[in-house]
Amino acid sequence: MKHCQRFAHIKSDFEQDIRLQRSHAERYQGTASAKTSARTAVSLTRNMARALNRHLDRCPECG
């Protein structure tokens, strides 16, 4: 399935944030900030799925 540029932009921004949070969690394992980063990464993954589904519903090019 081919997607528009906006879809790719939304996805890449979320993936960059998720990578940042996960790498912080791995680097500082066992600390409170690492646990928070891990939870934030999970939350960002859910938010990305929601945003991409919402985009697919509304975009005439993708949907």
Side-chain angles (χ1 to χ4, degrees):
M1 178 183 258
K2 187 164 173 91
H3 299 291
C4 69
Q5 291 292 337
R6 180 73 178 137
F7 182 93
H9 183 71
I10 293 169
K11 186 175 179 183
S12 68
D13 285 349
F14 270 107
E15 286 176 340
Q16 181 181 4
D17 291 344
I18 292 167
R19 259 184 273 125
L20 178 74
Q21 294 296 328
R22 284 185 179 158
S23 67
H24 181 269
E26 289 173 6
R27 251 192 325 266
Y28 298 102
Q29 280 183 340
T31 64
S33 66
K35 293 174 186 174
T36 301
S37 290
R39 280 191 302 265
T40 302
V42 170
S43 176
L44 282 169
T45 303
R46 278 192 221 119
N47 290 345
M48 178 179 71
R50 246 184 260 129
L52 292 176
N53 281 328
R54 190 170 40 242
H55 173 82
L56 288 174
D57 288 341
R58 296 178 180 171
C59 180
E61 191 176 331
C62 293

